[in-house]
Amino acid sequence: MNLQLLYPLLIVIASSSYGLLSTIIKVAMGQGFTSNEAVSSQYIIGFLLALVLFLFTQRKIPKLNKSGIITIVSAGAITATTGMVYGLALNYVTASLGVVLFFQFTWIGLLIDCIIHKRLPNRYEALSLVFLLGGTVLAAGVLDTDLSTIPWQGWVYGLLAATSFAIFIQINSRQIEGMSNVTRTFLMSLVALIMISIFLSPEIIWDGTLFKTNLWIFGVILGTFGIILPILLLSIAVPKVGGALSSILSAMELPVAIIASVIILHEKLTILQLFGIVLVLIGMVLPTVLAQRKNAA
């Protein structure tokens, strides 16, 4: 496969896995677990999966310089922050609205990239954002929702999660010399686990909740789709693609989240929402297609 297409595809797969999280957490909450317990299980099991992967493929951690340590610690901490505040947002909003708030990372990420590189968005990025934001409003069913009934905490936590994820993409665009992506995933998941253990529900390990109930099943699913796949794939692809385009390609998270909430949670899907999903998909592929045509010309 052409590497110019492979790396964007990896970002699409990673963002698609993130799109499943809100629905899975909602299902866990429906079975009596709190969002904190679900998120904690995600990072605990995710770390264990990353540890197994590391032991079977690497076994040795290379010596890190100061820059590498800062990148790993920052990325792991931001990963944990994203999971924590997103879980809190889902206490106040539906899965579909939660993912819409989270989806704002697209323009936030582009804004951060422009600030870092002291530039303005190019015309491809600007056009893409028009499709993405317009599609978001339609796909989420926002026009049919009384937004005044949504608690302010839901808005704040959702937008904080979006900002956190946008920062995570930027940090992940930094390469670390001499470190494999598996090792990077393992170390980031370790830092994230430490953060989660401080602020959420580490007691689910020793009080039996994690392994004596079916919470571990949710932990495996959340750990796979919320830790292993996205961190590993984004670590591979984002340095090759760049932070701005990665933020746009990660838009795949919204259609996946909406479809998952319809299939699993039986949330209503309207014609306008379908049209919104199509707009999001157009906005997602537009920069890549136009850039490739420009390079081919």
Side-chain angles (χ1 to χ4, degrees), residues 11-275:
I11 293 174
V12 168
I13 294 172
S15 60
S16 296
S17 67
Y18 267 127
L20 298 172
L21 299 186
S22 58
T23 295
I24 298 168
I25 292 173
K26 281 291 189 181
V27 172
M29 292 169 66
Q31 294 198 15
F33 301 108
T34 66
S35 63
N36 282 355
E37 289 172 337
V39 173
S40 294
S41 73
Q42 170 185 334
Y43 285 87
I44 294 169
I45 300 293
F47 166 73
L48 294 177
L49 294 173
L51 175 61
V52 170
L53 187 62
F54 171 76
L55 292 176
F56 272 93
T57 62
Q58 307 295 316
R59 300 186 182 181
K60 185 178 180 181
I61 298 175
K63 186 177 181 180
L64 293 175
N65 57 27
K66 182 178 179 182
S67 175
I69 293 173
I70 291 174
T71 298
I72 289 294
V73 172
S74 300
I78 288 295
T79 299
T81 301
T82 302
M84 286 189 290
V85 293
Y86 191 35
L88 289 171
L90 293 175
N91 287 320
Y92 301 98
V93 299
T94 63
S96 56
L97 182 55
V99 79
V100 168
L101 294 173
F102 185 71
F103 185 78
Q104 303 312 304
F105 73 80
T106 50
W107 65 265
I108 295 174
L110 179 57
L111 176 63
I112 293 173
D113 189 83
C114 290
I115 292 173
I116 292 175
H117 296 97
K118 298 178 181 179
R119 67 180 183 88
L120 293 174
N122 61 46
R123 58 181 179 177
Y124 302 146
E125 293 168 342
L127 182 60
S128 176
L129 281 184
V130 171
F131 279 94
L132 290 176
L133 295 178
T136 299
V137 172
L138 297 177
V142 171
L143 299 179
D144 300 322
T145 303
D146 184 2
L147 300 181
S148 65
T149 63
I150 307 298
W152 64 267
Q153 294 94 329
W155 295 103
V156 172
Y157 288 134
L159 292 174
L160 282 176
T163 303
S164 180
F165 186 64
I167 295 172
F168 169 73
I169 291 178
Q170 290 297 325
I171 294 175
N172 235 22
S173 66
R174 302 175 185 172
Q175 292 184 313
I176 301 177
E177 290 295 327
M179 176 175 288
S180 70
N181 291 302
V182 170
T183 303
R184 181 169 178 158
T185 301
F186 165 66
L187 293 177
M188 286 171 58
S189 66
L190 174 60
V191 174
L193 176 61
I194 293 171
M195 284 278 293
I196 290 294
S197 298
I198 295 172
F199 294 104
L200 289 188
S201 304
E203 68 273 8
I204 63 174
I205 299 176
W206 57 78
D207 69 7
T209 302
L210 181 56
F211 295 109
K212 292 183 180 179
T213 68
N214 63 353
L215 180 60
W216 70 269
I217 298 175
F218 292 105
V220 169
I221 299 172
L222 291 167
T224 300
F225 291 105
I227 301 293
I228 301 300
L229 276 179
I231 292 181
L232 183 59
L233 297 183
L234 290 175
S235 295
I236 294 171
V238 173
K240 303 293 184 180
V241 174
L245 183 55
S246 295
S247 295
I248 291 173
L249 290 171
S250 295
M252 189 63 187
E253 180 243 352
L254 178 64
V256 171
I258 298 295
I259 293 170
S261 67
V262 170
I263 294 174
I264 299 174
L265 301 178
H266 307 295
E267 294 187 2
K268 187 177 69 171
L269 182 66
T270 65
I271 297 298
L272 277 179
Q273 286 178 293
L274 282 173
F275 182 61

